[in-house]
Amino acid sequence: MLPYTLVIQHAAQVLTLAGGPTDRPLAGPHLNNWHIIENGYVACQGDKIAAVGPMAELDHTLITAGTRLLDATGRVVMPGLVECHTHLVFGGNRAHEFERKLRGESYLDILASGGGILSTVRATRAASEEELMENALHHLECFRRYGITTLEAKSGYGLDRDTELRLVRVARAAGRQQPVRVVPTFLGAHVVPPEFKEAGPRAYVDFILREVLSDLKGEAAFVDIFCEEGAFPLNVARYFLGQAHKMGFGLKIHAEQLHDMGGCEMAAELGATSVDHCDYLTPAAAARIAQQTDGRTVAVLLPLVPLFLRQEKYAPGREFIENGLPVALSTDFNPGSCPSKNLWLALSVACLKMGFTPKEAVAAATLNAAWAIGHAADCGSLAPGKRADVLVLDVGSVAEIPYWLGENPVRDVVIGGESV
């Protein structure tokens, strides 16, 4: 065998995320029952993981003068975090709307007045490609410091052909200019733009299908749509996703964020890879989705959104888990409803408000998050052959990860076998 290029050794705990089914996301008891190695190591050859195990089983003959050794004594070693729902590329910010929220205006009230998403659309359309790239690279550097090694980046703040394509292009280019892998998703159907206000939602999605999606082949694997009051009704969302699926795109949906409109079940029926937000998804509907999709559609829960919007309703994560629905966790980083990149805080809030255990929260932000963006084959767990995306944390056990509320526990970040 080739010598190891990197060995992370003497870890108090190695969180492998191994031990569950390999052909689908972790669900039910599997979300909590994956394997932890006490006093363990992770060995890498180039950009791939070569071996994972207890220190007593480390093959020292594969350690040479050229092997980098990283001491993790007393610390947790785990897979890099996978951010499976962000709106990475946008212009400006919405700090001016924060006080409106504090005075009691709702998310939909601000959107109806021309603010919210439409405010960011105006700023994004006005921004140059260079400004958008500079902002995206800044955000990615912050994400990297939080231990995110793979990140999904949605478009959705252009709402016209050229700007939407530019957002996807910037996301892809930003992924090539720094270590964090970026997976673009097309969210041109975020809300109806002003130009289509009179024509309506169906006319706008017909425009997307006719004028935009053909140029996204090979650029974005997934399309997404916001099915909600003030955005796209259920019938239009069904039509759009069905047509996009025929064109070869994977499917996602923003649904059941503020109302129960049936969007999650509809998208799952069409074979959606993920259904996102789910705050108003009922446990009964979650059980139907789990059964109908054979546990392959992931519910991406976003606990920092109701926190920032000062809402009392959080997705019933405990009930989703008990009903066999696979769950993932993300920040939903965006300028309006979650201007935070702190996925560790999202894990803590998921434990406090959604009923997750620490092990479930870690699984939801790694392996299940990788399933939610179609990358479980190469990231999200520590297993031979997977990309060597590994974190060393300044905590001694998995239980400490959500306990230190709001702290960033990351000491070392390894992406593709390189310390970054």
Side-chain angles (χ1 to χ4, degrees), residues 13 31 55 69 77 113 152 161 178 267 280 296 382 409:
Q13 292 185 337
L31 196 67
M55 283 299 297
L69 299 177
V77 171
S113 71
E152 187 236 28
R161 180 184 180 281
Q178 48 72 61
Y280 284 79
R296 297 182 186 277
L382 300 179

Side-chain angles (χ1 to χ4, degrees), residues 302-311 314 337 345 349 353:
L302 310 166
L304 298 187
V305 173
L307 177 69
F308 188 74
L309 296 180
R310 302 198 305 166
Q311 296 169 344
Y314 287 79
S337 59
L345 179 59
V349 177
K353 292 290 192 179

Side-chain angles (χ1 to χ4, degrees), residues 143-211:
F143 275 118
R144 183 195 59 76
R145 291 199 296 266
Y146 279 121
I148 281 82
T149 56
T150 294
L151 174 143
E152 187 236 28
K154 300 180 188 294
S155 70
Y157 290 122
L159 306 187
D160 60 30
R161 180 184 180 281
D162 291 345
T163 311
E164 285 295 317
L165 293 176
R166 182 162 70 245
L167 297 181
V168 173
R169 184 169 64 246
V170 168
R172 288 178 62 85
R176 292 191 292 266
Q177 291 185 29
Q178 48 72 61
V180 178
R181 175 170 50 186
V182 175
V183 179
T185 287
F186 178 71
L187 180 59
H190 202 175
V191 295
V192 178
E195 297 87 347
F196 283 83
K197 185 176 181 179
E198 295 301 322
R202 173 60 186 263
Y204 177 55
V205 300
D206 274 331
F207 163 77
I208 294 173
L209 293 166
R210 184 178 64 251
E211 302 290 341

Side-chain angles (χ1 to χ4, degrees), residues 87-326:
H87 302 252
L88 177 70
V89 187
F90 56 86
N93 63 66
R94 301 221 291 271
H96 59 286
E97 293 179 0
F98 185 52
E99 289 192 58
R100 294 178 64 181
K101 291 187 177 75
L102 297 179
R103 289 196 298 267
E105 289 190 66
S106 74
Y107 179 85
L108 291 180
D109 289 339
I110 293 172
L111 177 63
S113 71
I117 294 167
L118 294 175
S119 173
T120 299
V121 168
R122 291 190 292 272
T124 302
R125 288 180 177 181
S128 68
E129 190 157 328
E130 292 73 20
E131 290 171 324
L132 294 173
M133 177 63 75
E134 182 180 357
N135 290 342
L137 291 174
H138 165 74
H139 296 316
L140 286 168
E141 169 64 15
C142 296
F143 275 118
R144 183 195 59 76
R145 291 199 296 266
Y146 279 121
I148 281 82
T149 56
T150 294
L151 174 143
E152 187 236 28
K154 300 180 188 294
S155 70
Y157 290 122
L159 306 187
D160 60 30
R161 180 184 180 281
D162 291 345
T163 311
E164 285 295 317
L165 293 176
R166 182 162 70 245
L167 297 181
V168 173
R169 184 169 64 246
V170 168
R172 288 178 62 85
R176 292 191 292 266
Q177 291 185 29
Q178 48 72 61
V180 178
R181 175 170 50 186
V182 175
V183 179
T185 287
F186 178 71
L187 180 59
H190 202 175
V191 295
V192 178
E195 297 87 347
F196 283 83
K197 185 176 181 179
E198 295 301 322
R202 173 60 186 263
Y204 177 55
V205 300
D206 274 331
F207 163 77
I208 294 173
L209 293 166
R210 184 178 64 251
E211 302 290 341
V212 186
L213 286 193
S214 61
D215 290 323
L216 284 167
K217 291 294 183 68
E219 299 294 317
F222 295 97
V223 298
D224 199 340
I225 189 169
F226 186 20
C227 180
E228 183 54 76
E229 291 183 13
F232 294 90
L234 183 65
N235 64 324
V236 174
R238 180 189 295 275
Y239 165 73
F240 174 70
L241 292 178
Q243 295 301 309
H245 184 61
K246 291 176 182 177
M247 297 176 69
F249 289 95
L251 306 181
K252 292 174 165 287
I253 193 170
H254 286 53
E256 272 70 79
Q257 178 183 356
L258 302 168
H259 302 90
D260 183 358
M261 297 178 61
C264 290
E265 284 195 83
M266 175 274 293
E269 289 172 11
L270 295 176
T273 300
S274 75
V275 293
D276 298 34
H277 283 287
C278 307
D279 294 320
Y280 284 79
L281 180 66
T282 67
R288 290 192 294 270
I289 292 172
Q291 183 174 21
Q292 178 185 38
T293 65
D294 197 22
R296 297 182 186 277
T297 295
V298 180
V300 176
L301 310 186
L302 310 166
L304 298 187
V305 173
L307 177 69
F308 188 74
L309 296 180
R310 302 198 305 166
Q311 296 169 344
E312 297 299 321
K313 181 74 170 175
Y314 287 79
R318 180 82 261 136
E319 289 86 349
F320 292 173
I321 294 167
E322 291 172 354
N323 280 293
L325 182 64

Side-chain angles (χ1 to χ4, degrees), residues 381-413:
S381 64
L382 300 179
K386 285 201 170 185
R387 200 169 80 137
D389 295 346
V390 191
L391 307 180
V392 180
L393 308 185
D394 277 325
V395 297
S397 71
V398 65
E400 286 188 59
I401 291 174
Y403 167 75
W404 296 108
L405 186 65
E407 289 196 14
N408 180 6
V410 174
R411 190 195 74 173
D412 297 290
V413 180

